[in-house]
mmCIF file of all heavy atoms in Angstrom:
data_model
loop_
_atom_site.group_PDB
_atom_site.id
_atom_site.type_symbol
_atom_site.label_atom_id
_atom_site.label_comp_id
_atom_site.label_asym_id
_atom_site.label_seq_id
_atom_site.Cartn_x
_atom_site.Cartn_y
_atom_site.Cartn_z
ATOM 1 N N GLU A 39 -28.666 -33.126 -8.676
ATOM 2 C CA GLU A 39 -27.289 -33.662 -8.655
ATOM 3 C C GLU A 39 -26.876 -34.385 -9.894
ATOM 4 O O GLU A 39 -25.833 -34.136 -10.457
ATOM 5 C CB GLU A 39 -27.133 -34.624 -7.473
ATOM 6 C CG GLU A 39 -25.793 -35.072 -7.316
ATOM 7 C CD GLU A 39 -25.446 -35.835 -6.012
ATOM 8 O OE1 GLU A 39 -26.288 -35.833 -5.069
ATOM 9 O OE2 GLU A 39 -24.478 -36.433 -5.963
ATOM 10 N N SER A 40 -27.771 -35.190 -10.455
ATOM 11 C CA SER A 40 -27.506 -35.996 -11.673
ATOM 12 C C SER A 40 -27.124 -35.080 -12.879
ATOM 13 O O SER A 40 -26.198 -35.245 -13.701
ATOM 14 C CB SER A 40 -28.521 -37.013 -12.065
ATOM 15 O OG SER A 40 -29.676 -36.351 -12.348
ATOM 16 N N ARG A 41 -27.961 -34.012 -12.978
ATOM 17 C CA ARG A 41 -27.797 -33.021 -14.052
ATOM 18 C C ARG A 41 -26.521 -32.245 -13.927
ATOM 19 O O ARG A 41 -25.723 -31.932 -14.896
ATOM 20 C CB ARG A 41 -29.010 -32.025 -14.139
ATOM 21 C CG ARG A 41 -28.954 -31.218 -15.368
ATOM 22 C CD ARG A 41 -30.273 -30.984 -15.998
ATOM 23 N NE ARG A 41 -30.344 -29.935 -16.918
ATOM 24 C CZ ARG A 41 -29.937 -29.999 -18.198
ATOM 25 N NH1 ARG A 41 -29.577 -31.033 -18.677
ATOM 26 N NH2 ARG A 41 -30.053 -28.911 -18.947
ATOM 27 N N ILE A 42 -26.220 -31.879 -12.612
ATOM 28 C CA ILE A 42 -25.006 -31.132 -12.277
ATOM 29 C C ILE A 42 -23.740 -31.949 -12.623
ATOM 30 O O ILE A 42 -22.763 -31.463 -13.182
ATOM 31 C CB ILE A 42 -24.999 -30.526 -10.915
ATOM 32 C CG1 ILE A 42 -26.176 -29.467 -10.823
ATOM 33 C CG2 ILE A 42 -23.707 -29.908 -10.454
ATOM 34 C CD1 ILE A 42 -26.478 -29.043 -9.542
ATOM 35 N N ARG A 43 -23.786 -33.211 -12.131
ATOM 36 C CA ARG A 43 -22.674 -34.104 -12.411
ATOM 37 C C ARG A 43 -22.469 -34.299 -13.975
ATOM 38 O O ARG A 43 -21.404 -34.287 -14.455
ATOM 39 C CB ARG A 43 -22.935 -35.465 -11.770
ATOM 40 C CG ARG A 43 -22.878 -35.405 -10.301
ATOM 41 C CD ARG A 43 -23.226 -36.732 -9.657
ATOM 42 N NE ARG A 43 -22.209 -37.709 -9.797
ATOM 43 C CZ ARG A 43 -21.095 -37.756 -9.056
ATOM 44 N NH1 ARG A 43 -21.026 -36.912 -8.062
ATOM 45 N NH2 ARG A 43 -20.212 -38.688 -9.171
ATOM 46 N N GLU A 44 -23.564 -34.306 -14.705
ATOM 47 C CA GLU A 44 -23.601 -34.469 -16.206
ATOM 48 C C GLU A 44 -22.805 -33.248 -16.749
ATOM 49 O O GLU A 44 -22.053 -33.319 -17.738
ATOM 50 C CB GLU A 44 -24.904 -34.718 -16.701
ATOM 51 C CG GLU A 44 -24.860 -34.731 -18.232
ATOM 52 C CD GLU A 44 -26.430 -34.866 -18.766
ATOM 53 O OE1 GLU A 44 -27.421 -34.762 -17.980
ATOM 54 O OE2 GLU A 44 -26.486 -34.811 -20.060
ATOM 55 N N ALA A 45 -23.196 -32.083 -16.206
ATOM 56 C CA ALA A 45 -22.576 -30.791 -16.708
ATOM 57 C C ALA A 45 -21.056 -30.790 -16.492
ATOM 58 O O ALA A 45 -20.326 -30.316 -17.331
ATOM 59 C CB ALA A 45 -23.367 -29.612 -16.107
ATOM 60 N N ILE A 46 -20.720 -31.203 -15.259
ATOM 61 C CA ILE A 46 -19.236 -31.168 -14.997
ATOM 62 C C ILE A 46 -18.455 -32.057 -15.784
ATOM 63 O O ILE A 46 -17.331 -31.658 -16.314
ATOM 64 C CB ILE A 46 -19.009 -31.513 -13.353
ATOM 65 C CG1 ILE A 46 -19.763 -30.503 -12.484
ATOM 66 C CG2 ILE A 46 -17.597 -31.648 -13.123
ATOM 67 C CD1 ILE A 46 -19.374 -29.112 -12.658
ATOM 68 N N VAL A 47 -19.027 -33.220 -16.197
ATOM 69 C CA VAL A 47 -18.407 -34.150 -17.032
ATOM 70 C C VAL A 47 -18.311 -33.559 -18.479
ATOM 71 O O VAL A 47 -17.373 -33.693 -19.115
ATOM 72 C CB VAL A 47 -19.179 -35.425 -17.140
ATOM 73 C CG1 VAL A 47 -18.589 -36.407 -18.286
ATOM 74 C CG2 VAL A 47 -19.001 -36.199 -15.796
ATOM 75 N N CYS A 48 -19.343 -32.791 -18.887
ATOM 76 C CA CYS A 48 -19.281 -32.214 -20.259
ATOM 77 C C CYS A 48 -18.274 -31.186 -20.210
ATOM 78 O O CYS A 48 -17.691 -30.805 -21.364
ATOM 79 C CB CYS A 48 -20.660 -31.472 -20.389
ATOM 80 S SG CYS A 48 -20.859 -30.628 -21.969
ATOM 81 N N LEU A 49 -17.812 -30.554 -19.069
ATOM 82 C CA LEU A 49 -16.751 -29.638 -19.027
ATOM 83 C C LEU A 49 -15.354 -30.294 -18.989
ATOM 84 O O LEU A 49 -14.287 -29.700 -18.911
ATOM 85 C CB LEU A 49 -16.916 -28.658 -17.890
ATOM 86 C CG LEU A 49 -18.065 -27.690 -17.955
ATOM 87 C CD1 LEU A 49 -18.190 -27.037 -16.593
ATOM 88 C CD2 LEU A 49 -17.712 -26.638 -18.983
ATOM 89 N N GLY A 50 -15.422 -31.690 -19.115
ATOM 90 C CA GLY A 50 -14.052 -32.397 -19.095
ATOM 91 C C GLY A 50 -13.442 -32.619 -17.654
ATOM 92 O O GLY A 50 -12.345 -32.816 -17.564
ATOM 93 N N GLN A 51 -14.354 -32.467 -16.664
ATOM 94 C CA GLN A 51 -13.848 -32.583 -15.299
ATOM 95 C C GLN A 51 -14.547 -33.689 -14.511
ATOM 96 O O GLN A 51 -15.596 -34.176 -15.049
ATOM 97 C CB GLN A 51 -14.098 -31.197 -14.541
ATOM 98 C CG GLN A 51 -13.372 -30.029 -15.292
ATOM 99 C CD GLN A 51 -13.258 -28.846 -14.434
ATOM 100 O OE1 GLN A 51 -13.168 -28.937 -13.223
ATOM 101 N NE2 GLN A 51 -13.446 -27.709 -15.026
ATOM 102 N N HIS A 52 -14.080 -34.155 -13.469
ATOM 103 C CA HIS A 52 -14.708 -35.242 -12.722
ATOM 104 C C HIS A 52 -15.521 -34.569 -11.593
ATOM 105 O O HIS A 52 -14.969 -33.888 -10.836
ATOM 106 C CB HIS A 52 -13.536 -36.126 -12.172
ATOM 107 C CG HIS A 52 -14.197 -37.449 -11.727
ATOM 108 N ND1 HIS A 52 -14.816 -37.581 -10.504
ATOM 109 C CD2 HIS A 52 -14.254 -38.657 -12.269
ATOM 110 C CE1 HIS A 52 -15.228 -38.791 -10.334
ATOM 111 N NE2 HIS A 52 -14.894 -39.492 -11.411
ATOM 112 N N PRO A 53 -16.707 -34.969 -11.460
ATOM 113 C CA PRO A 53 -17.590 -34.331 -10.447
ATOM 114 C C PRO A 53 -17.157 -34.607 -8.972
ATOM 115 O O PRO A 53 -17.463 -33.912 -8.111
ATOM 116 C CB PRO A 53 -19.068 -34.920 -10.649
ATOM 117 C CG PRO A 53 -18.850 -35.943 -11.769
ATOM 118 C CD PRO A 53 -17.586 -35.850 -12.299
ATOM 119 N N ASP A 54 -16.346 -35.744 -8.849
ATOM 120 C CA ASP A 54 -15.892 -36.071 -7.429
ATOM 121 C C ASP A 54 -14.599 -35.517 -7.100
ATOM 122 O O ASP A 54 -14.093 -35.755 -5.971
ATOM 123 C CB ASP A 54 -16.025 -37.553 -7.206
ATOM 124 C CG ASP A 54 -17.451 -38.139 -7.313
ATOM 125 O OD1 ASP A 54 -18.370 -37.370 -6.784
ATOM 126 O OD2 ASP A 54 -17.644 -39.249 -7.820
ATOM 127 N N SER A 55 -14.015 -34.711 -8.025
ATOM 128 C CA SER A 55 -12.676 -34.085 -7.746
ATOM 129 C C SER A 55 -12.831 -32.563 -7.609
ATOM 130 O O SER A 55 -13.929 -32.025 -7.836
ATOM 131 C CB SER A 55 -11.784 -34.449 -8.945
ATOM 132 O OG SER A 55 -11.588 -35.790 -9.205
ATOM 133 N N GLU A 56 -11.825 -31.958 -7.132
ATOM 134 C CA GLU A 56 -11.815 -30.552 -7.047
ATOM 135 C C GLU A 56 -11.922 -30.035 -8.463
ATOM 136 O O GLU A 56 -11.270 -30.491 -9.431
ATOM 137 C CB GLU A 56 -10.546 -30.022 -6.373
ATOM 138 C CG GLU A 56 -10.458 -30.362 -4.927
ATOM 139 C CD GLU A 56 -11.481 -29.719 -4.039
ATOM 140 O OE1 GLU A 56 -11.767 -28.455 -4.257
ATOM 141 O OE2 GLU A 56 -11.962 -30.362 -3.171
ATOM 142 N N LEU A 57 -12.854 -28.985 -8.618
ATOM 143 C CA LEU A 57 -13.087 -28.481 -9.967
ATOM 144 C C LEU A 57 -12.022 -27.461 -10.259
ATOM 145 O O LEU A 57 -11.392 -26.795 -9.427
ATOM 146 C CB LEU A 57 -14.393 -27.685 -9.992
ATOM 147 C CG LEU A 57 -15.626 -28.715 -9.806
ATOM 148 C CD1 LEU A 57 -16.876 -27.931 -9.690
ATOM 149 C CD2 LEU A 57 -15.667 -29.811 -10.728
ATOM 150 N N GLN A 58 -11.758 -27.342 -11.589
ATOM 151 C CA GLN A 58 -10.732 -26.390 -12.116
ATOM 152 C C GLN A 58 -11.422 -25.218 -12.815
ATOM 153 O O GLN A 58 -12.542 -25.392 -13.355
ATOM 154 C CB GLN A 58 -9.875 -27.120 -13.184
ATOM 155 C CG GLN A 58 -9.159 -28.320 -12.597
ATOM 156 C CD GLN A 58 -8.322 -28.029 -11.439
ATOM 157 O OE1 GLN A 58 -7.378 -27.096 -11.436
ATOM 158 N NE2 GLN A 58 -8.532 -28.754 -10.228
ATOM 159 N N CYS A 59 -10.802 -24.151 -12.791
ATOM 160 C CA CYS A 59 -11.256 -22.944 -13.569
ATOM 161 C C CYS A 59 -11.311 -23.261 -14.977
ATOM 162 O O CYS A 59 -10.387 -23.667 -15.665
ATOM 163 C CB CYS A 59 -10.426 -21.710 -13.329
ATOM 164 S SG CYS A 59 -10.862 -20.272 -14.147
ATOM 165 N N VAL A 60 -12.498 -22.962 -15.664
ATOM 166 C CA VAL A 60 -12.605 -23.280 -17.082
ATOM 167 C C VAL A 60 -11.810 -22.341 -17.920
ATOM 168 O O VAL A 60 -11.473 -22.697 -19.127
ATOM 169 C CB VAL A 60 -14.094 -23.234 -17.585
ATOM 170 C CG1 VAL A 60 -14.960 -24.328 -16.915
ATOM 171 C CG2 VAL A 60 -14.675 -21.833 -17.317
ATOM 172 N N TYR A 61 -11.485 -21.258 -17.374
ATOM 173 C CA TYR A 61 -10.660 -20.278 -18.155
ATOM 174 C C TYR A 61 -9.106 -20.582 -18.206
ATOM 175 O O TYR A 61 -8.509 -20.598 -19.205
ATOM 176 C CB TYR A 61 -10.991 -18.889 -17.695
ATOM 177 C CG TYR A 61 -12.461 -18.455 -17.904
ATOM 178 C CD1 TYR A 61 -13.261 -18.345 -16.721
ATOM 179 C CD2 TYR A 61 -13.075 -18.511 -19.128
ATOM 180 C CE1 TYR A 61 -14.531 -18.035 -16.865
ATOM 181 C CE2 TYR A 61 -14.390 -18.191 -19.208
ATOM 182 C CZ TYR A 61 -15.134 -17.941 -18.103
ATOM 183 O OH TYR A 61 -16.607 -17.632 -18.252
ATOM 184 N N CYS A 62 -8.550 -20.576 -16.920
ATOM 185 C CA CYS A 62 -7.106 -20.635 -16.715
ATOM 186 C C CYS A 62 -6.616 -22.086 -16.352
ATOM 187 O O CYS A 62 -5.397 -22.302 -16.389
ATOM 188 C CB CYS A 62 -6.592 -19.593 -15.874
ATOM 189 S SG CYS A 62 -7.035 -19.897 -14.010
ATOM 190 N N GLY A 63 -7.578 -22.852 -15.669
ATOM 191 C CA GLY A 63 -7.104 -24.248 -15.237
ATOM 192 C C GLY A 63 -6.662 -24.218 -13.829
ATOM 193 O O GLY A 63 -6.440 -25.298 -13.276
ATOM 194 N N ASP A 64 -6.560 -23.197 -13.166
ATOM 195 C CA ASP A 64 -6.291 -23.123 -11.657
ATOM 196 C C ASP A 64 -7.413 -23.687 -10.879
ATOM 197 O O ASP A 64 -8.612 -23.957 -11.481
ATOM 198 C CB ASP A 64 -6.022 -21.682 -11.243
ATOM 199 C CG ASP A 64 -4.685 -21.141 -11.530
ATOM 200 O OD1 ASP A 64 -3.895 -21.911 -12.164
ATOM 201 O OD2 ASP A 64 -4.467 -19.936 -11.431
ATOM 202 N N ALA A 65 -7.356 -23.843 -9.659
ATOM 203 C CA ALA A 65 -8.408 -24.411 -8.708
ATOM 204 C C ALA A 65 -9.671 -23.496 -8.701
ATOM 205 O O ALA A 65 -9.448 -22.332 -8.542
ATOM 206 C CB ALA A 65 -8.058 -24.599 -7.327
ATOM 207 N N ALA A 66 -10.769 -23.929 -9.022
ATOM 208 C CA ALA A 66 -11.967 -23.126 -9.096
ATOM 209 C C ALA A 66 -12.430 -22.921 -7.619
ATOM 210 O O ALA A 66 -12.223 -23.805 -6.654
ATOM 211 C CB ALA A 66 -13.105 -23.913 -9.728
#
Side-chain angles (χ1 to χ4, degrees):
E39 188 171 345
S40 63
R41 186 144 167 81
I42 294 166
R43 292 176 73 81
E44 178 186 1
I46 297 303
V47 169
C48 183
L49 289 170
Q51 300 191 39
H52 193 284
D54 294 324
S55 299
E56 292 293 320
L57 300 179
Q58 304 300 308
C59 176
V60 295
Y61 301 116
C62 73
D64 287 349

